[in-house]
Amino acid sequence: MKTLFLIFGLGLLAVLQVQGLPIVEEEEQEDLGTWYLKAVIFDKEIPGGRQGSVSVTPMAIKILDGGNLKIQFTFRVADQCHDVSVTLQETEEPGKYTAYGGKYVVQIIKSGVESHYILYGVTDLHGHRTQMAELVGRDPDFNQEALEDFANVTGARGLNTENVVIPKQRETCSPGGD
């Protein structure tokens, strides 16, 4: 389940740096608005993550001191809600962030579809390398063109595009809810 927290939360934050956001003074926070997770793909099976069984709330994004980013949202998988609040540490390499002491690395890939980004992440959990990617966008509506671009980019990185999960968009998370 820890992998799921990383996958859903960490990658999205890196998108914000691509958009040329201003540097914020230490300890200040700047609200960067709402983002939506449109699709996610893993190289491992998601426990309880059958197609249509994962739902997410919109993501709230903030720039923190030093260019770090914070994301907060909730997702539901296997009939359990999970609150996520993660801070990504900016690296010296543009478009890359880390979390959990550098154990999780996220690369931002601008989609060929306007207002969409692909977040490709790699982590080492318990001695096993795990790859994942997320398609995120500024609006909650499904976009077939963006999904096709996502499949092309992730397939080129060796991920099986048959493993794509498209989460349901929810305003709130309720265990046992639709």
Side-chain angles (χ1 to χ4, degrees):
M1 201 51 69
K2 185 175 182 179
T3 302
L4 218 51
F5 293 142
L6 290 170
I7 292 166
F8 285 130
L10 296 177
L12 180 64
L13 295 174
V15 167
L16 303 172
Q17 189 66 23
V18 170
Q19 295 187 335
L21 298 171
I23 301 297
V24 179
E25 295 299 318
E26 191 158 321
E27 301 207 15
E28 285 187 26
Q29 294 186 358
E30 182 177 341
D31 186 1
L32 298 174
T34 302
W35 289 81
Y36 298 89
L37 179 64
K38 307 273 191 109
V40 64
I41 187 171
F42 310 85
D43 65 352
K44 309 280 189 260
E45 184 177 337
I46 306 171
R50 298 173 312 278
Q51 182 70 22
S53 67
V54 176
S55 62
V56 296
T57 63
M59 301 175 174
I61 310 295
K62 294 185 186 273
I63 298 177
L64 303 177
D65 60 329
N68 296 330
L69 302 168
K70 184 172 185 171
I71 184 171
Q72 294 178 301
F73 69 102
T74 303
F75 71 93
R76 184 179 68 136
V77 65
D79 202 29
Q80 294 183 6
C81 294
H82 304 275
D83 291 323
V84 177
S85 180
V86 178
T87 301
L88 284 184
Q89 307 294 316
E90 186 176 37
T91 69
E92 292 184 17
E93 188 174 339
K96 284 197 177 180
Y97 288 82
T98 63
Y100 300 106
K103 294 179 183 175
Y104 183 79
V105 179
V106 175
Q107 177 186 6
I108 304 165
I109 303 163
K110 186 171 172 104
S111 172
V113 178
E114 186 176 343
S115 298
H116 287 80
Y117 294 87
I118 298 165
L119 309 168
Y120 174 72
V122 178
T123 189
D124 183 29
L125 290 175
H126 311 295
H128 295 90
R129 179 184 156 146
T130 301
Q131 297 178 80
M132 65 231 43
E134 302 165 319
L135 173 65
V136 298
R138 294 294 284 170
D139 66 75
D141 299 328
F142 179 78
N143 185 310
Q144 183 65 39
E145 184 182 3
L147 184 61
E148 290 170 8
D149 185 52
F150 179 68
N152 290 335
V153 170
T154 57
R157 286 176 167 65
L159 292 165
N160 182 349
T161 58
E162 293 180 13
N163 292 339
V164 171
V165 174
I166 300 170
K168 294 178 183 174
Q169 302 295 323
R170 303 282 185 221
E171 287 302 314
T172 61
C173 184
S174 303
D178 292 319

